Amino acid sequence: MIYDSNLPRLPLPELMECIDEIKGLIRPLVDDACWQKSCIAADALTMQAEQLRKDLSDYRSKLPHGSSWIRPFWDESYLSNRASLPLNSNYFIELRTDVSTNIDDVHVKLSDFLLALCRQFQLSAAQKLPVEIVQGNSLSMDQLNSMLYSRVAALNSDMLVPVLIHGQICISVVCQGYWYLLTVSDISGQLVASNELADVLRHIRVDA
């Protein structure tokens, strides 16, 4: 994002370190004879790999600071793969209730979460998120842009199309197999009140 130009380039691993790591990874998986053959093959690869590393180094040097030399290769392999894609699912957040919690509280919690997510999207689109700092070093915020893209099918390779967050925001909700489209902000981007969204979610639950 706006601070990425100040970041160093992603480092390129040293060739011999990679070869030694490959040998170490293979060792627990094979017997002594097979491991010896693997070591000979890995050492023979060194001469060929040296030119590959040089090509990668030249390619990396032409990229802007803060960018990843791995990203273009990943995007190409990911977007050009024509195999069926699984539906993206992420269960890192689960809203639970216990015996002392009224079921209506679930709608309030979900409403607060959805509105917080919308605010995060707005800040990311405006590039106003604070830079992450770990041990005094700034981290690249580029991957947050991935939240603002949708994958769209194309002839030879799919495209990543930006999702416009400016203006009115709508979200889709699935409940019992039914899809609902909710408008959660006005045209200026001002989000609705949490209790209003909770009422709509409560109505959806009943309707579905």
Side-chain angles (χ1 to χ4, degrees):
M1 299 178 76
I2 56 176
Y3 295 102
D4 284 355
S5 60
N6 298 323
L7 299 175
R9 293 188 178 94
L10 185 70
L12 192 63
E14 292 296 330
L15 179 57
M16 292 311 300
E17 291 179 4
C18 293
I19 297 294
D20 291 340
E21 186 172 355
I22 290 174
K23 293 178 182 179
L25 292 173
I26 294 176
R27 186 65 187 98
L29 305 177
V30 298
D31 57 27
D32 291 344
C34 186
W35 185 66
Q36 291 295 335
K37 292 180 180 179
S38 299
C39 289
I40 293 174
D43 291 336
L45 180 65
T46 303
M47 297 299 296
Q48 303 174 39
E50 185 60 43
Q51 182 60 46
L52 174 59
R53 189 185 186 283
K54 182 179 183 304
D55 292 340
L56 281 175
S57 180
D58 293 342
Y59 170 77
R60 170 178 167 270
S61 65
K62 297 175 183 177
L63 296 175
H65 282 276
S67 58
S68 168
W69 58 269
I70 297 176
R71 179 69 182 269
F73 298 106
W74 163 253
D75 286 344
E76 180 181 356
S77 61
Y78 174 65
L79 295 174
S80 61
N81 191 340
R82 309 315 300 166
S84 299
L85 291 173
L87 180 66
N88 288 333
S89 300
N90 194 328
Y91 299 100
F92 80 100
I93 289 181
E94 180 182 1
L95 301 178
R96 302 182 60 181
T97 60
D98 54 36
V99 292
S100 64
T101 304
N102 187 285
I103 191 63
D104 285 345
D105 292 341
V106 175
H107 304 102
V108 175
K109 292 178 182 178
L110 182 56
S111 172
D112 290 340
F113 167 71
L114 290 175
L115 292 176
L117 185 61
C118 288
R119 283 190 290 270
Q120 190 81 352
F121 270 69
Q122 287 177 321
L123 290 173
S124 182
Q127 297 193 356
K128 293 182 178 180
L129 286 172
V131 179
E132 302 250 356
I133 305 293
V134 174
Q135 296 181 351
N137 297 315
S138 301
L139 300 183
S140 173
M141 308 290 283
D142 179 67
Q143 283 299 316
L144 291 174
N145 287 331
S146 300
M147 298 191 304
L148 306 175
Y149 283 84
S150 292
R151 178 171 175 162
V152 177
L155 184 59
N156 297 315
S157 177
D158 293 349
M159 302 179 296
L160 292 177
V161 178
V163 178
L164 298 179
I165 305 299
H166 306 291
Q168 201 169 42
I169 299 177
C170 297
I171 61 175
S172 56
V173 175
V174 186
C175 185
Q176 300 294 334
Y178 292 96
W179 286 76
Y180 300 84
L181 183 65
L182 307 184
T183 301
V184 295
S185 80
D186 58 23
I187 195 66
S188 67
Q190 180 65 39
L191 297 174
V192 300
S194 177
N195 62 322
E196 294 178 12
L197 182 56
D199 289 339
V200 175
L201 294 173
R202 192 176 295 109
H203 174 75
I204 286 177
R205 188 187 185 102
V206 174
D207 182 73

